[in-house]
Amino acid sequence: MHCVKAACMRCKLELILYLSDPRPRIASAAGSNSASLEDLRTVVAFGAFTPARLIEEVLSMFFSHLSAGDQSNFDPTKPLPPHLLPYETRSFLAMAGIFTVCNKYYFYRAVVVDAAPTKALGSNWTRIRKWIHHFLYRALARTASPAETFITDDEANFSRHGEEYTTFNMVVIILTFVSHYPSVFGTAIASDGTYDLVLKLWAQTVFSNAAVSTNHYGRTTVLLATCFESFNGPEASRDMQSKLLHEVGGDWEPLITFLLKPLHSAAKTKTSPDLYSQISHLESSISLIKRLSEDGIEGSKGGVFGKVFFNSKLNLRPLVVNVLKKYTAMCDNDHPRFMVLMAVRAILHLCLVLFQYQGAVGFVVKLLGDGILDAYANLAPGLRGLTDFVLEPAVYLLKEGISTFLTDETVITAAKNALHRLEKNRKTEYRALNETTSGLKEAWLYLTGYIAARVVFKGFYDSQYRKEDKRSCVSCGVPMTERMLRKCSGCKFVHYCSRECQREHWGRHKLRCKALAIEVDLLRIKADSRHFHIHLASFDITRHLPGFLALAQHNPLTCGDDTVLIFRMNYMHAPPQFTVSSAEDVANEEHFLKTNFAADKIEEARSRQRAILDEAREGKGALWVLQMICRGYGGDSVSSNEILHREDFELLPASVPQIFQPDRSRAVDEDGKALAIQGGIQDIAIADAIFGRTLSESELGLYATGFSSQLEPDSSVQATTFIERLDNAVRTRGRSQKDLLEQHQRVCEGCDKCSVYIPWKLACANPTIEA
């Protein structure tokens, strides 16, 4: 047998001789005599050097050896035969030959698909699988090293050259190539026992061989993750998870401990060289964690592994940010190492997985508090060198991740503080993220603009409502400022103003009472979240009212004055999607109920929806319905239906500047088109913050019409952060609005807009009063 890797003179001469005219050797290697066996060994040893034009011919010869002989009695589930089978020597060499040919197209656990012979391997899988199964099962069954209990002399010779040439690694490489032929990997391999074999190999790699290299562990782990990824339904995924649980002795704990070890190690590591050495383990472990936690199907969160892995006792959240900041700090130039980029991509994907589980809001708050935005600042110096492939999960984390949680008070506060810290402590990187053209810029500007809009809303909301004012009777809606409210003794969550209201509401509340009692403690749902959500939605409706009304006028079912409109506001995406429909169209919308509510809560939701629709119908056009969908505390969608009073939503008077700048955040309709908006306090406060001073109406007009270059910023406050200037703008505008309202109330003769202070409207709609 040749040295394979050794650079000895004999091997060099043999290689030169082989490459001078390889076809006779290849033809001879297909035979069955002793001379052909030596030629077979030569072709196998130099498979990586075989000219591209002869690859298919060489592989065909290997396939013929693996499909030769009688394999009809081979059953991997039965005890393995103690002696060599007739064709075992040539079959092993053929498997090793396929490995040497394929390995030349394998780079850092990735296959160069365009050049690799994946199609040839996939097409011939049914011919060769039994022998590959056989060799791997025999290798798994032995308790000593291959050199001591080898299957053939050739296996012993191969294994002496290192782990790359063991049976385990050969099979992993071959299967990795087959996995790139999905029509075979997702169908034939899924049912022929290969997945079970991969699972056994991974468990053996993890728990039986402490000396296994990180490269081999990484390849095996990624292959197992690919197997899970190919499942088409939850049953197959659960079956595979059950088998995995069996392989680890029925206990998830050692498996979870092992998978988390790379994260813990990376969190403790201080030097870049040590981080480089951990990449293989880290990336592959995260890949498998992601696949297991998804349970093989998108959006599924009911699997055993997910529930155990995301247990709060594991305290994963600080680890994730800590490790992400370390690896992004190694991407500070235009040519970061590919391995580092893959590690960053994997950790970002793990963040997205964590969003799907219980306590997702708390996780987002923790990410922001621990410095997730610093990881983005670390990327800023090298943004021009990062491809869209690397940036894709980073973009998704900003837009479809963090942004979609900005309907929660705690997330808005955490995002505000994180953005302030970033600009204050890392001003250069902060500016680069806003200015450097890259695949990240659009998502970054969207997030920061969206945070600014929510900070403005929350600033006015907090100034208008004291905490105790946010609670109201869930039956009649009377606020605590008008009546003393008491908690339900069962759930200690909902509030009532009287026993009469409690009795009237009990039919709807009884199905939810016990569940709420658990959720209040477990998920820490804030008692004022409903109040906050209604006002946030009202704020957005007011701003997008021109767009809503335009949509309504274009639909014959919604253009009538007495039509009961339902505003659907889906905050699960970024930008959010707002649509308008006739309430009658959704009176019995089972699809919506089944999509947004658990089976045991559908009846309660249906009952509430009917009651709201009945109330809206009685209003004969004076009442609208709000259907709001947003992120829940467990990552799922949470939906609510509320009554809105049409008179609370009016277009702003003409004296107020209309701001239509394209870079302002806005919602889209169901076709993805941006909705028309009217200028409001959000845009004006942001404009004040940009220039560091309160702009006059004429200056706002310049800003609104795109002539902002004519406006001079206040240089004395430009050293402060944008968030600090935004807070100041909210306070200043808030005080001026109160003064205007008090002035108006002194002269008004019964304007119905004075009864309620609406802070995001600049002035009363009475045309005699200007803002």
Side-chain angles (χ1 to χ4, degrees):
M1 187 68 197
H2 299 292
C3 295
V4 183
K5 293 176 67 179
C8 69
M9 186 58 66
R10 175 174 175 268
C11 286
K12 289 181 179 180
L13 292 174
E14 286 281 355
L15 177 59
I16 293 172
L17 183 61
Y18 170 69
L19 292 178
S20 65
D21 190 9
R23 184 164 274 116
R25 291 284 190 95
I26 295 171
S28 172
S32 57
N33 55 41
S34 58
S36 67
L37 183 60
E38 287 306 310
D39 286 331
L40 176 61
R41 290 190 173 107
T42 299
V43 176
V44 170
F46 301 132
F49 302 97
T50 300
R53 69 181 187 279
L54 299 177
I55 289 295
E56 289 190 13
E57 188 176 336
V58 169
L59 286 176
S60 180
M61 182 265 292
F62 291 148
F63 295 151
S64 66
H65 279 299
L66 279 173
S67 59
D70 182 10
Q71 300 181 60
S72 59
N73 295 324
F74 172 62
D75 185 350
T77 63
K78 294 180 179 179
L80 297 170
H83 305 293
L84 299 182
L85 299 176
Y87 296 91
E88 201 156 30
T89 297
R90 282 184 170 80
S91 296
F92 178 84
L93 284 169
M95 181 183 72
I98 294 172
F99 159 74
T100 58
V101 169
C102 291
N103 204 37
K104 67 185 290 187
Y105 303 101
Y106 194 85
F107 174 71
Y108 187 62
R109 301 202 310 277
V111 175
V112 185
V113 179
D114 293 339
T118 55
K119 185 175 181 180
L121 270 174
S123 301
N124 287 277
W125 176 251
T126 55
R127 296 174 59 196
I128 67 178
R129 74 167 182 87
K130 281 195 174 183
W131 274 113
I132 292 178
H133 282 202
H134 171 76
F135 288 123
L136 187 52
Y137 267 106
R138 289 199 66 160
L140 288 169
R142 63 186 165 210
T143 56
S145 68
E148 297 175 8
T149 58
F150 49 86
I151 298 173
T152 73
D153 291 337
D154 294 293
E155 190 205 23
N157 290 331
F158 263 93
S159 64
R160 293 190 185 104
H161 294 295
E163 193 179 64
E164 289 285 314
Y165 295 88
T166 63
T167 301
F168 293 140
N169 194 61
M170 290 180 191
V171 173
V172 170
I173 296 296
I174 291 171
L175 284 172
T176 299
F177 276 77
V178 178
S179 71
H180 287 272
Y181 197 70
S183 61
V184 173
F185 195 80
T187 54
I189 291 183
S191 58
D192 67 9
T194 304
Y195 285 179
D196 295 345
L197 196 60
V198 172
L199 192 149
K200 288 180 178 292
L201 173 60
W202 185 80
Q204 190 270 356
T205 302
V206 171
F207 296 105
S208 302
N209 190 353
V212 68
S213 74
T214 56
N215 281 337
H216 179 64
Y217 165 79
R219 293 165 184 157
T220 311
T221 305
V222 169
L223 181 60
L224 181 60
T226 306
C227 291
F228 273 94
E229 184 180 10
S230 67
F231 292 131
N232 295 320
E235 291 185 6
S237 178
R238 282 195 292 267
D239 179 61
M240 192 71 167
Q241 287 201 27
S242 297
K243 291 176 180 177
L244 178 58
L245 187 61
H246 174 74
E247 290 295 332
V248 298
D251 185 6
W252 283 112
E253 187 171 344
L255 173 61
I256 294 171
T257 301
F258 189 88
L259 286 174
L260 291 182
K261 187 182 295 184
L263 272 171
H264 284 283
S265 298
K268 296 176 182 177
T269 299
K270 296 182 179 180
T271 64
S272 294
D274 289 336
L275 282 171
Y276 279 121
S277 68
Q278 294 169 353
I279 287 177
S280 179
H281 249 136
L282 180 70
E283 186 197 348
S284 55
S285 290
I286 290 176
S287 178
L288 185 55
I289 289 169
K290 181 174 180 290
R291 298 305 177 196
L292 287 171
S293 58
E294 289 175 345
D295 296 326
I297 56 171
E298 184 179 355
S300 173
K301 295 167 283 295
V304 174
F305 185 85
K307 292 178 180 177
V308 175
F309 181 80
F310 295 105
N311 188 308
S312 58
K313 294 180 181 178
L314 294 176
N315 201 24
L316 268 182
R317 292 156 184 172
L319 281 178
V320 172
V321 176
N322 189 348
V323 175
L324 184 60
K325 287 193 291 188
K326 288 185 177 183
Y327 279 101
T328 52
M330 298 162 70
C331 302
D332 58 354
N333 57 65
D334 289 339
H335 301 287
R337 292 192 184 184
F338 178 76
M339 294 187 300
V340 174
L341 296 178
M342 292 300 97
V344 169
R345 179 179 165 87
I347 301 166
L348 289 167
H349 272 300
L350 180 58
C351 291
L352 292 169
V353 171
L354 284 160
F355 282 168
Q356 303 301 315
Y357 283 82
Q358 190 168 286
V361 168
F363 175 55
V364 178
V365 171
K366 187 66 176 175
L367 279 182
L368 292 164
D370 287 343
I372 186 70
L373 298 188
D374 282 297
Y376 283 87
N378 290 342
L379 295 174
L383 274 177
R384 290 187 178 90
L386 300 181
T387 65
D388 290 344
F389 174 76
V390 174
L391 291 176
E392 177 261 336
V395 168
Y396 202 84
L397 183 64
L398 293 179
K399 288 197 72 174
E400 297 297 321
I402 296 172
S403 292
T404 60
F405 285 90
L406 287 170
T407 56
D408 184 273
E409 286 188 83
T410 57
V411 175
I412 294 172
T413 300
K416 168 187 171 180
N417 294 337
L419 207 56
H420 164 69
R421 288 195 305 270
L422 186 69
E423 185 180 2
K424 183 177 182 180
N425 301 328
R426 306 187 64 175
K427 189 176 288 290
T428 300
E429 291 86 353
Y430 175 82
R431 287 176 176 171
L433 286 167
N434 286 295
E435 298 168 2
T436 304
T437 301
S438 72
L440 184 63
K441 184 176 180 180
E442 180 186 350
W444 177 259
L445 292 178
Y446 177 84
L447 175 70
T448 54
Y450 201 19
I451 290 172
R454 290 302 181 229
V455 168
V456 172
F457 163 72
K458 190 173 184 304
F460 283 109
Y461 177 85
D462 289 342
S463 68
Q464 183 182 3
Y465 300 102
R466 296 190 307 275
K467 187 172 182 179
E468 60 269 21
D469 294 343
K470 299 175 186 177
R471 299 186 179 91
S472 59
C473 174
V474 297
S475 180
C476 69
V478 65
M480 182 177 279
T481 50
E482 296 180 16
R483 294 283 297 275
M484 177 64 69
L485 303 183
R486 295 183 179 182
K487 294 179 181 179
C488 167
S489 61
C491 65
K492 294 181 173 57
F493 176 73
V494 300
H495 290 75
Y496 297 101
C497 65
S498 65
R499 291 189 179 275
E500 289 73 18
C501 275
Q502 185 176 21
R503 281 194 292 267
E504 182 180 341
H505 189 252
W506 179 244
R508 283 176 282 165
H509 179 58
K510 64 181 179 182
L511 298 173
R512 184 72 169 142
C513 189
K514 290 184 179 180
L516 280 173
I518 298 173
E519 289 180 9
V520 169
D521 179 59
L522 184 63
L523 306 179
R524 298 179 182 177
I525 294 177
K526 300 183 70 173
D528 55 11
S529 61
R530 175 172 171 264
H531 185 278
F532 183 83
H533 283 161
I534 294 173
H535 281 269
L536 183 144
S538 299
F539 176 85
D540 284 345
I541 290 173
T542 300
R543 186 164 190 262
H544 292 87
L545 195 58
F548 272 124
L549 296 180
L551 289 176
Q553 289 302 312
H554 282 89
N555 186 342
L557 300 177
T558 57
C559 62
D561 290 339
D562 60 347
T563 303
V564 179
L565 297 180
I566 181 165
F567 294 103
R568 286 176 157 176
M569 308 177 73
N570 187 346
Y571 292 96
M572 294 286 287
H573 306 284
Q577 184 183 85
F578 296 169
T579 57
V580 60
S581 308
S582 167
E584 301 301 326
D585 294 342
V586 297
N588 297 296
E589 192 177 27
E590 291 298 316
H591 174 73
F592 170 78
L593 295 172
K594 291 178 180 178
T595 301
N596 293 283
F597 295 94
D600 60 337
K601 300 172 184 176
I602 288 180
E603 187 55 43
E604 178 193 0
R606 184 185 291 115
S607 175
R608 173 171 171 75
Q609 183 167 290
R610 288 173 180 169
I612 286 176
L613 291 171
D614 288 342
E615 183 180 347
R617 291 188 189 102
E618 292 176 3
K620 296 181 179 180
L623 301 179
W624 289 336
V625 178
L626 163 67
Q627 189 179 86
M628 183 177 179
I629 305 172
C630 59
R631 289 277 194 180
Y633 284 71
D636 288 319
S637 62
V638 173
S639 175
S640 62
N641 292 288
E642 308 291 344
I643 286 290
L644 300 174
H645 291 267
R646 181 173 179 171
E647 64 182 16
D648 291 338
F649 301 92
E650 298 291 345
L651 290 171
L652 294 180
S655 61
V656 178
Q658 302 295 300
I659 298 178
F660 293 101
Q661 289 207 0
D663 57 345
R664 296 276 68 85
S665 61
R666 64 184 71 185
V668 298
D669 62 19
E670 56 189 349
D671 295 322
K673 298 178 181 177
L675 291 178
I677 58 173
Q678 61 182 341
I681 194 63
Q682 167 184 314
D683 305 274
I684 293 171
I686 289 175
D688 287 351
I690 290 173
F691 295 98
R693 59 190 176 84
T694 302
L695 299 180
S696 66
E697 186 172 329
S698 60
E699 288 176 320
L700 284 171
L702 288 174
Y703 176 76
T705 51
F707 292 96
S708 57
S709 60
Q710 299 181 24
L711 302 178
E712 291 293 331
D714 185 348
S715 57
S716 65
V717 298
Q718 290 303 306
T720 59
T721 68
F722 179 73
I723 292 297
E724 289 174 321
R725 300 198 299 273
L726 196 59
D727 279 342
N728 182 61
V730 170
R731 286 192 296 269
T732 303
R733 289 290 176 178
R735 286 195 297 268
S736 65
Q737 288 179 78
K738 288 181 180 179
D739 293 342
L740 282 171
L741 185 64
E742 291 174 0
Q743 176 187 354
H744 172 66
Q745 288 175 333
R746 286 194 294 268
V747 299
C748 177
E749 298 179 356
C751 171
D752 61 356
K753 295 301 173 185
C754 293
S755 58
V756 177
Y757 169 48
I758 304 176
W760 46 83
K761 291 189 176 182
L762 292 180
C764 163
N766 190 323
T768 62
I769 302 295
E770 293 187 359

